[in-house]
Amino acid sequence: MVFLSIAMCLISCVDENNCGINEESDELFLQFYDIGTKKIREVVFDSVGVAFANEEVFYLDSISNTLLYVPVDVNAASTNFTFFTDSVAYDFELSYRVNVRIENEACEPVFRILGLSASSVAFDSLSIKVLELNKLVSPHVEIYF
Amino acid sequence: MYRPMWKFIFRATLLLTATLAQAQVIPDLVIEEEKPTFAFRSVQINYNALRLIQNSVSDSKASREFQVEVGFHERLFLTADAGFAKTNRGDTYSYQSDGTYWRTGLDINMAKNPDKGNLIGVGLRYAKAVYKDEIAYTRSFLDQNDQTITQDVALENADLSSEWIEFVFKMKVKIWKRFYTGYTMRYQFFLQLDGAESELQPLDIPGYGKTSRPNSFGFDYYIGWRIDL
């Protein structure tokens, strides 16, 4: 009985190390479309500004791609993004809920960004394709302009 | 001539009847004394020695636990545990859980000779923990130009509580005079978590363990001192 109890305790204390297999993401994947043709368009931004709630703004320099990924603020319920071209600045605000958990003690914390909604959209149109940010689904948001 | 004979027979019959009657009464009285009664019989104070060992070998965990067993029947004990636990986790992050817990319930002694204080039995517990937890973590993000953005994350749950039920199997033996030792195996279930509406999902519950396990096993080793009332 003593051996059985020790064995049960050891089994219950063992954690498997499977870091990085979670589907959850704390990065937002954006894809841009031509408002007229509805086809994917390659965009060239001089920079992208990511404004966090503590008034810190990060600028991602000179991005040229059809698919962008940008960080979201996990200390707040929203992040403001500004996309700068040589003549225009487009911005939108993404609102969400944050959930942080430690799934495995040996791994990094897992961030869930869920309940997505957009406001203050300066683009022609914006479509949110997911309920929560996920590594396996891309893009999370489609932007038309 | 016959009178003394009748007297002898009468007295002998009377004596035999009285003896038989007495012989019947005495076993009845003995059985009466062996019947279990509801009365306070003993109090035992136990210290969880396993936590002491755990504290000395682990830098990340600190806990203390005491237990009181009140015997109010030959085979029934009211048991209450109280303790506190502090847990630190993480190399690349810092997670801390800190709080108190208590358990209370009933134990049934199924030992052959329960009057000697030895115990082998089972019990049921209701348990509750009140605690707080927090995490500090520096998150990094690598953009498409290999530029790194870092963000300090600090989240906390200031007012958490959890409840659960335990089924226990326990053994206890006398080691010397009034000193006893024994262990308790726990199967913890029906976990309820309250107050975790914030962003941080609690990881450790004092007295229970990790929240990732809806059912959990526990093992505790006690040393105790018993007072017979």
Side-chain angles (χ1 to χ4, degrees):
Chain A
M1 187 58 79
V2 174
F3 290 117
L4 179 67
S5 62
I6 292 168
M8 282 196 296
C9 186
L10 287 174
I11 289 166
S12 67
C13 294
V14 171
D15 273 329
E16 288 182 25
N17 190 345
N18 290 319
C19 298
I21 62 162
N22 305 92
E23 293 180 8
E24 293 94 340
S25 172
D26 55 354
E27 297 171 3
L28 175 66
F29 286 77
L30 303 166
Q31 192 140 46
F32 297 90
Y33 293 82
D34 188 289
I35 186 71
T37 62
K38 309 291 184 199
K39 288 183 178 174
I40 294 170
R41 65 182 283 182
E42 186 171 352
V43 291
V44 179
F45 293 113
D46 289 347
S47 64
V48 177
V50 182
F52 284 180
N54 61 357
E55 298 181 350
E56 201 169 8
V57 182
F58 300 98
Y59 291 98
L60 314 181
D61 298 329
S62 182
I63 293 172
S64 171
N65 214 322
T66 57
L67 185 70
L68 294 185
Y69 56 91
V70 287
V72 297
D73 185 356
V74 294
N75 279 331
S78 66
T79 305
N80 199 285
F81 302 97
T82 307
F83 300 83
F84 297 95
T85 65
D86 53 355
S87 56
V88 183
Y90 300 94
D91 62 359
F92 81 90
E93 187 178 82
L94 186 76
S95 300
Y96 45 81
R97 286 182 288 117
V98 179
N99 182 276
V100 186
R101 71 174 190 277
I102 298 163
E103 198 163 273
N104 187 325
E105 201 182 333
C107 306
E108 306 278 306
V110 177
F111 290 85
R112 282 184 74 193
I113 310 295
L114 58 165
L116 306 177
S117 66
S119 58
S120 309
V121 181
F123 293 103
D124 291 325
S125 175
L126 185 144
S127 172
I128 294 172
K129 309 304 287 184
V130 290
L131 294 173
E132 71 175 277
L133 301 188
N134 189 311
K135 288 174 188 167
L136 304 180
V137 179
S138 181
H140 302 136
V141 173
E142 292 178 351
I143 295 174
Y144 297 84
F145 71 107
Chain B
M1 183 176 172
Y2 294 115
R3 183 169 283 181
M5 181 62 76
W6 281 112
K7 259 186 182 176
F8 171 76
I9 291 167
F10 175 74
R11 282 176 183 170
T13 308
L14 197 67
L15 188 66
L16 187 66
T17 309
T19 307
L20 285 172
Q22 200 177 17
Q24 281 172 353
V25 166
I26 289 167
D28 280 345
L29 284 174
V30 170
I31 291 165
E32 191 75 27
E33 282 175 359
E34 282 181 350
K35 276 182 183 174
T37 53
F38 288 92
F40 289 111
R41 293 162 178 253
S42 66
V43 174
Q44 185 165 327
I45 298 162
N46 299 317
Y47 178 70
N48 191 332
L50 201 63
R51 302 296 170 93
L52 192 68
I53 298 164
Q54 196 178 46
N55 293 344
S56 60
V57 297
S58 172
D59 293 332
S60 61
K61 289 182 180 179
S63 63
R64 294 276 186 279
E65 185 187 304
F66 289 93
Q67 184 181 69
V68 176
E69 289 175 333
V70 178
F72 64 95
H73 181 278
E74 190 176 44
R75 292 187 179 274
L76 295 176
F77 295 86
L78 197 64
T79 306
D81 309 344
F84 72 87
K86 190 174 182 177
T87 307
N88 292 296
R89 293 189 189 274
D91 295 323
T92 58
Y93 59 90
S94 171
Y95 174 84
Q96 190 176 86
S97 167
D98 188 0
T100 57
Y101 63 92
W102 55 267
R103 310 180 188 103
T104 186
L106 201 66
D107 292 334
I108 301 169
N109 189 354
M110 297 185 292
K112 200 172 182 180
N113 298 310
D115 54 318
K116 291 180 180 173
N118 297 330
L119 184 148
I120 177 165
V122 293
L124 203 64
R125 303 270 189 281
Y126 166 78
K128 183 165 184 170
V130 178
Y131 59 106
K132 61 178 181 178
D133 71 346
E134 59 187 27
I135 190 171
Y137 172 61
T138 301
R139 164 189 177 231
S140 62
F141 169 80
L142 190 67
D143 78 0
Q144 281 151 304
N145 294 321
D146 294 333
Q147 178 188 349
T148 303
I149 293 172
T150 59
Q151 182 183 22
D152 291 328
V153 181
L155 298 168
E156 70 164 354
N157 294 309
D159 189 19
L160 292 169
S161 68
S162 296
E163 297 165 305
W164 66 95
I165 303 292
E166 294 185 356
F167 175 76
V168 300
F169 173 79
K170 62 191 286 185
M171 285 184 78
K172 183 175 72 179
V173 291
K174 188 176 188 175
I175 46 174
W176 182 64
K177 291 188 176 177
R178 292 180 173 183
F179 289 93
Y180 288 77
T181 185
Y183 71 86
T184 300
M185 283 167 55
R186 311 175 182 284
Y187 177 66
Q188 301 164 308
F189 56 102
F190 284 154
L191 176 65
Q192 298 289 320
L193 195 65
D194 301 317
E197 289 81 21
S198 82
E199 295 89 348
L200 176 60
Q201 199 169 310
L203 175 66
D204 279 296
I205 301 172
Y208 181 88
K210 289 186 177 178
T211 54
S212 53
R213 302 190 187 104
N215 304 315
S216 181
F217 285 102
F219 180 86
D220 287 307
Y221 175 74
Y222 295 95
I223 49 174
W225 186 65
R226 175 177 158 130
I227 309 161
D228 290 312
L229 302 174

